[in-house]
Amino acid sequence: MSDHLTGTTFQTRSVEQLAKPFQRQAIPNAVDPTVAGLHRLFAGSDRDRLRDLGRDIRGHAVANLPKLVAQLVDQLETNGVTVHFAGDAAEARAIVVSICSRAGARRVVKAKSMLTEEIELNPALEAAGLEVVETDLGEYVVQLDGDRPSHIIGPIIHRTAAEVRELFSRVAGTELAEDAGELARFARGQLRAAFLAADVGISGANFAVAETGSIALVTNEGNGRLTTALPRVHIAMVGVERVVPRLDDLAVLVPLLTGSGTAQRITTYLTLASGPRREGEVDGPEEMHVVLVDGGRSAIVGSDYQEVLSCIRCGACQNICPVYRQVGGHAYGWVYGGPIGAVLTPLFRPEAEAQELGQASSLCGACDDICPVRIPLHDLLRTLRRDRSAGATVSRGERLAFRIWSYAWASPTVFRLSALLAPLAARVPIGPARRFTALRDVVFSRGRR
Amino acid sequence: MEREAFLARLAGARPGPDLPSLDDLPQAPTELRPGEDRYERFRHEVEAASGACERVSAGHEGLAVAAFLAGAGATRVALASDLGVHREPVHAALVALGITPVSYDDLVAERAELGALHATVTGASVLVAATGSLVTSALAGRAAALIAPIHVCVASEDRLASGLAEALHALPDASLVAFQSGPSRTADIEKKLILGMHGPGSTLVVVVRSLASDAPTPA
């Protein structure tokens, strides 16, 4: 369901996605206001220094994971939380199924969590006989339609209101109007019933605070908070790199996350869940579980790619990426799209098909410029290209072509001549130029700058 | 996996930066600018998030809450136990307008009644000026502030923290603490903003002047 890697290439998937005209318009329509809003929001602020702090807090956390995770676990246990350790996706799924079955649960509600997409949790819960309902509006649509999210923040950025209307009308058994307000109200009714009936609520974690043993959830809809409030069991799925040392760190990381993700100072709901219901509190879960998931992360610790673990999943690098903006999230073949997906997927997924994703970039560096925690995505993509092409053979023709290029561009006269001839070559594409221009428009600027 | 084996796999990291001091936080969208008035910024941010905000003198909070709820046609209203000194005036004013509120604590186990509420009224441990947020906690009930279509919060002006950094130091000791800023919202369908997705679609914060700042209100 979440896996379209096998037997496809980035190119074949891109061709498929480029044929969807709505998506190519919908992405800029949705993300451009966010990018513009980000710059407006930070206009009176020292965004560069905040990003430095964000980079240092996240970089420090990732470099000190054993110590900080141990502190987090101790603090969670002191708070009455049961902590579980999952080495891989299969173990994580088994742990959640076993918590649900021990609790005698039948119905599960879920808040949005990219980690649960990674580990493909829902099919495992359904196979165990549990009824699972995604409660984020976008994720609910994705679930009803057997689709996949295509953007970290906006899961159904690729879907039209007409498609949502058709889908919800099918569920309702009556024709609903194509009005976002009415469609959202319909979903609210369905989901509220699910919340009130649920035995278990499963959330992700935006941050896990080691100092206090708190799971921080950032949502606008409020489904994250209802997930932690109404069911009698709360399970938080936490990627082990989500840890941050101090509660105070949220004063830096929250505005960086919400500013970059949705151009908001803070989201409507920022929830800190630090344990099950206490004596004297009127509601809340009887049990709280935290499932810490490795899922390929420990292999990145200590490698050339360590900095990618600083990611706070804001989606800003997708919004700005010229490749993502054309092909959308599904072309990347797995859970994450855009520059962050091009780096994470080859690291998390062993398949040969995943290894080419470093190529899904024009190396323009726009992702470096926008990343709120200054992950050098552009360098990581180059490192990935280098690593994944090690041992590759280069044909004699290619080697000759590059030797000629190197000679030509070292000589001003030949360089000028080549610049004159290039537009001509693009018009009459032969050989490699034909393959290059098959999917791209080549535009040469005129005049001097 | 066992804890020790799990932690051992995370060892061997490349060295990272020192943990930065946050004593001198740079200017952020979640902090007040020098010289800014706390209440004015708070009101501005609440309204920017599509919420309503009103400041009243002590003793007048009941009327403000009751007028808002009566105007919205709410009849099933629950009061949370964290209202403190504001509970009595709010209760009395609602009864005067023919609305008999129930206690959230008494209702919370009855799922069907919880789902049928029109409005809830809670207190707040902290208000955050720079973000227009209010902080509720499990002390009021985890779901109290977002189970109904309307949420009203009553809090004294001295609960106003300047920004997120100060607020994080003033959080109550509870199993769940939550910042909320305006009505619940979504923009998942073609980026159209819809209020009231899961939580309330309509919110009011009543800020009660503290005695020190209780200047006479203009008529």
Side-chain angles (χ1 to χ4, degrees):
Chain A
M1 182 181 76
S2 64
D3 198 335
H4 286 206
L5 279 173
T6 314
T8 61
T9 65
F10 180 69
Q11 187 171 335
T12 59
R13 292 188 303 267
S14 297
V15 169
E16 203 179 293
Q17 294 301 321
L18 285 168
K20 299 179 178 170
F22 173 76
Q23 175 168 265
R24 292 179 76 180
Q25 278 173 24
I27 292 174
N29 284 349
V31 305
D32 286 353
T34 305
V35 176
L38 157 71
H39 292 295
R40 262 200 314 276
L41 182 66
F42 280 93
S45 302
D46 194 346
R47 177 160 168 259
D48 284 341
R49 267 194 63 215
L50 264 184
R51 291 170 77 211
D52 290 344
L53 289 177
R55 174 197 58 203
D56 288 355
I57 292 166
R58 292 294 300 139
H60 177 89
V62 170
N64 294 278
L65 277 179
K67 188 187 93 191
L68 288 167
V69 174
Q71 187 191 0
L72 172 71
V73 173
D74 289 343
Q75 198 55 51
L76 284 166
E77 287 176 347
T78 304
N79 296 350
V81 178
T82 310
V83 184
H84 309 260
F85 303 91
D88 57 21
E91 198 177 357
R93 292 190 296 259
I95 289 169
V96 178
V97 168
S98 127
I99 296 170
C100 292
S101 89
R102 249 178 295 149
R106 284 177 47 225
R107 298 190 181 91
V108 177
V109 284
K110 272 192 70 231
K112 189 167 178 298
S113 151
M114 296 306 286
L115 175 61
T116 61
E117 300 285 338
E118 275 182 44
I119 64 171
E120 296 174 39
L121 182 62
N122 289 4
L125 295 177
E126 281 159 5
L130 291 151
E131 189 186 300
V132 189
V133 180
E134 291 283 354
T135 61
D136 175 87
L137 176 59
E139 296 283 346
Y140 179 58
V141 170
V142 162
Q143 184 189 27
L144 285 178
D145 215 20
D147 196 2
R148 296 173 299 142
S150 75
H151 186 281
I152 293 176
I153 304 292
I156 52 168
I157 198 171
H158 60 293
R159 306 304 294 268
T160 64
E163 290 170 322
V164 177
R165 185 195 69 83
E166 205 182 304
L167 187 65
F168 283 6
S169 297
R170 215 156 61 218
V171 176
T174 170
E175 285 300 304
L176 300 171
E178 193 182 311
D179 168 72
E182 179 169 335
L183 294 172
R185 262 191 304 281
F186 171 75
R188 177 187 162 113
Q190 299 290 111
L191 296 170
R192 180 52 68 91
F195 270 122
L196 290 170
D199 305 299
V200 174
I202 299 179
S203 73
N206 291 94
F207 305 105
V209 183
E211 177 185 49
T212 56
S214 306
I215 303 302
L217 297 173
V218 173
T219 75
N220 273 321
E221 297 182 3
N223 57 324
R225 185 153 162 207
L226 283 174
T227 299
T228 62
L230 294 173
R232 58 188 161 83
V233 178
H234 171 211
I235 306 174
M237 305 298 296
V238 184
V240 68
E241 85 288 12
R242 294 289 112 208
V243 69
V244 296
R246 305 164 297 196
L247 192 61
D248 284 354
D249 293 327
L250 299 184
V252 174
L253 296 172
V254 167
L256 286 174
L257 170 61
T258 64
S260 309
T262 52
Q264 288 171 290
R265 274 170 221 284
I266 191 169
T267 42
T268 308
Y269 299 98
L270 165 62
T271 303
L272 301 170
S274 312
R277 172 184 180 178
R278 290 186 200 164
E279 189 99 6
E281 294 177 348
V282 296
D283 60 5
E286 296 151 23
E287 295 173 29
M288 178 172 170
H289 298 263
V290 164
V291 183
L292 284 170
V293 182
D294 181 331
R297 286 151 173 83
S298 61
I300 301 174
V301 171
S303 77
D304 287 348
Y305 303 97
Q306 183 171 302
E307 281 162 297
V308 81
L309 294 175
S310 292
C311 175
I312 57 174
R313 306 285 192 266
C314 69
C317 62
Q318 303 182 314
N319 297 347
I320 203 82
C321 175
V323 177
Y324 176 90
R325 290 167 66 95
Q326 293 300 322
V327 300
H330 290 171
Y332 293 79
W334 196 52
V335 175
Y336 302 102
I340 188 66
V343 177
L344 279 180
T345 305
L347 298 177
F348 278 167
R349 299 297 306 248
E351 291 86 342
E353 287 97 329
Q355 305 313 314
E356 57 159 0
L357 274 180
Q359 305 294 333
S361 165
S362 65
L363 297 183
C364 69
C367 44
D368 285 23
D369 290 340
I370 202 160
C371 176
V373 292
R374 295 192 189 276
I375 299 170
L377 285 159
H378 167 264
D379 284 344
L380 296 180
L381 284 163
R382 282 187 7 200
T383 308
L384 200 59
R385 288 187 180 189
R386 182 200 67 200
D387 287 355
R388 296 304 190 265
S389 63
T393 51
V394 180
S395 73
R396 202 177 293 170
E398 193 172 342
R399 204 168 300 168
L400 182 66
F402 274 97
R403 203 172 299 156
I404 292 170
W405 189 14
S406 137
Y407 158 77
W409 283 32
S411 147
T413 320
V414 188
F415 171 78
R416 250 177 246 130
L417 190 64
S418 76
L420 281 175
L421 290 174
L424 194 69
R427 217 165 295 148
V428 199
I430 46 163
R434 185 200 299 271
R435 246 184 72 201
F436 187 85
T437 53
L439 292 171
R440 299 171 180 86
D441 298 326
V442 180
V443 180
F444 289 93
S445 64
R446 297 189 177 276
R448 294 158 191 271
R449 281 205 278 180
Chain B
M1 275 185 93
E2 292 303 312
R3 168 183 166 140
E4 291 317 316
F6 185 87
L7 292 179
R9 300 212 307 198
L10 300 170
R14 292 167 172 250
D18 290 339
L19 195 55
S21 158
L22 300 182
D23 293 341
D24 182 25
L25 208 61
Q27 188 58 54
T30 42
E31 305 300 328
L32 279 193
R33 296 195 185 85
E36 253 185 315
D37 181 78
R38 286 188 186 205
Y39 175 73
E40 284 309 318
R41 173 73 181 267
F42 179 73
R43 188 178 56 82
H44 176 82
E45 294 301 336
V46 168
E47 288 172 358
S50 312
C53 181
E54 198 177 326
R55 181 162 58 172
V56 299
S57 301
H60 294 187
E61 63 268 42
L63 193 62
V65 174
F68 183 78
L69 291 179
T75 51
R76 293 191 189 132
V77 178
L79 305 186
S81 58
D82 71 335
L83 274 167
V85 297
H86 308 301
R87 186 184 173 94
E88 210 31 62
V90 168
H91 191 276
L94 284 170
V95 170
L97 288 189
I99 302 168
T100 311
V102 294
S103 154
Y104 178 81
D105 296 9
D106 296 342
L107 202 72
V108 71
E110 305 299 327
R111 286 290 157 97
E113 289 186 46
L114 207 56
L117 280 173
H118 294 154
T120 55
V121 187
T122 70
S125 313
V126 188
L127 304 174
V128 191
T131 59
S133 312
L134 53 97
V135 177
T136 59
S137 74
L139 299 174
R142 291 189 183 213
L146 71 166
I147 196 71
I150 302 173
H151 174 238
V152 177
C153 166
V154 185
S156 300
E157 192 168 8
D158 56 19
R159 298 281 169 95
L160 256 175
S162 61
L164 184 57
E166 189 186 323
L168 288 169
H169 283 267
L171 297 182
D173 183 23
S175 67
L176 179 130
V177 173
F179 293 72
Q180 70 193 73
S181 322
S184 156
R185 55 173 59 208
T186 183
D188 273 347
I189 300 177
E190 291 192 9
K191 208 68 184 173
K192 290 195 182 72
L193 178 66
I194 306 296
L195 299 181
M197 181 53 218
H198 285 291
S202 167
T203 62
L204 168 71
V205 190
V206 177
V207 179
V208 184
R209 284 180 197 276
S210 40
L211 289 176
S213 70
D214 206 355
T217 15

